[in-house]
């Protein structure tokens, strides 16, 4: 696996402004690339207690990518810290 996630956030409003994802290397090209094409669906999402569920629903599951989900959730987790 080799991938990139560029996530642009409004930290004050805790909202996703833009997201760019790319899979450079993936074990199953036709399956693994699908969630990357769907990542734009997160634009406008509020990073609240339901954000993780929304990310998993859209980008995870049997036809998703757990690595992409983890990268996005790890990136946004700091907004709720402190």
């Amino acid at each position: 696996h080799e991938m990139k996630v560029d996530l642009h956030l409004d930290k004050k409003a805790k909202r996703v402004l833009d997201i760019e994802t790319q899979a450079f290397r993936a074990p199953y090209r036709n399956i693994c690339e699908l969630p990357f094409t769907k990542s734009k669906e997160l634009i406008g999402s509020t990073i609240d207690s339901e954000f993780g569920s929304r990310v998993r629903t859209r980008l995870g599951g049997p036809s998703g990518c757990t690595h992409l989900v983890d990268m996005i959730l790890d990136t946004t987790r700091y907004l709720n810290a402190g």
Side-chain angles (χ1 to χ4, degrees):
H1 293 81
E2 184 178 357
M3 60 188 71
K4 177 178 95 168
V5 175
D6 286 331
L7 193 56
H8 301 270
L9 307 171
D10 179 334
K11 291 188 271 186
K12 199 173 211 176
K14 295 185 177 183
R15 186 172 306 277
V16 177
L17 299 176
D18 195 17
I19 185 168
E20 296 287 336
T21 60
Q22 188 174 3
F24 299 107
R25 289 185 304 128
Y28 306 104
R29 275 284 176 207
N30 294 336
I31 297 171
C32 293
E33 289 180 344
L34 179 62
F36 288 82
T37 63
K38 294 169 55 177
S39 63
K40 289 282 190 188
E41 294 176 13
L42 296 174
I43 294 174
S45 291
T46 302
I47 301 164
D48 55 14
S49 61
E50 298 300 314
F51 183 71
S53 178
R54 287 193 299 275
V55 172
R56 283 186 211 76
T57 298
R58 288 184 173 99
L59 307 179
S63 61
C65 178
T66 189
H67 307 295
L68 178 61
V69 169
D70 287 347
M71 286 180 71
I72 292 169
L73 295 182
D74 287 347
T75 302
T76 58
R77 192 166 285 126
Y78 82 96
L79 286 176
N80 294 318

